[in-house]
Amino acid sequence: MRVLYFAWVRQKVGIAEEEIAPPAEVRDVAALVRWLAGRSPAHAAAFADPKQLRAAVNQDFAPPDHPVAANDEVAFFPPVTGG
């Protein structure tokens, strides 16, 4: 799985992207967030408040219950505002 980080999420994690292999029980975006938060103190800081994050799976916006799979690209970023 390829994970991309944008904006302040990238700043907190300290990298723009990484290739990961989460365990089989990580089946949706919410479980991925919980698993990533346990990877390092930097990840924990970035994922401390999941309500402040948005996700996209394979370049489509995805809610927390959206499934994820081994070959997916998952991006995390702050909420987008427009005007």
Side-chain angles (χ1 to χ4, degrees):
M1 182 180 298
R2 182 175 179 210
V3 179
L4 308 174
Y5 305 109
F6 293 95
W8 60 257
V9 183
R10 176 189 300 180
Q11 292 173 340
K12 288 187 178 192
V13 174
I15 55 175
E17 65 182 76
E18 61 184 326
E19 293 286 332
I20 60 168
E25 61 266 16
V26 174
R27 296 183 182 144
D28 60 22
V29 171
L32 179 60
V33 166
R34 288 189 301 272
W35 183 78
L36 286 168
R39 294 198 70 204
S40 74
H43 285 84
F47 293 99
D49 186 0
K51 292 179 183 178
Q52 295 300 315
L53 292 170
R54 297 296 177 264
V57 177
N58 300 321
Q59 300 183 2
D60 289 323
F61 285 109
D65 63 348
H66 190 283
V68 294
N71 293 325
D72 286 341
E73 176 187 88
V74 182
F76 291 102
F77 46 91
V80 178
T81 60

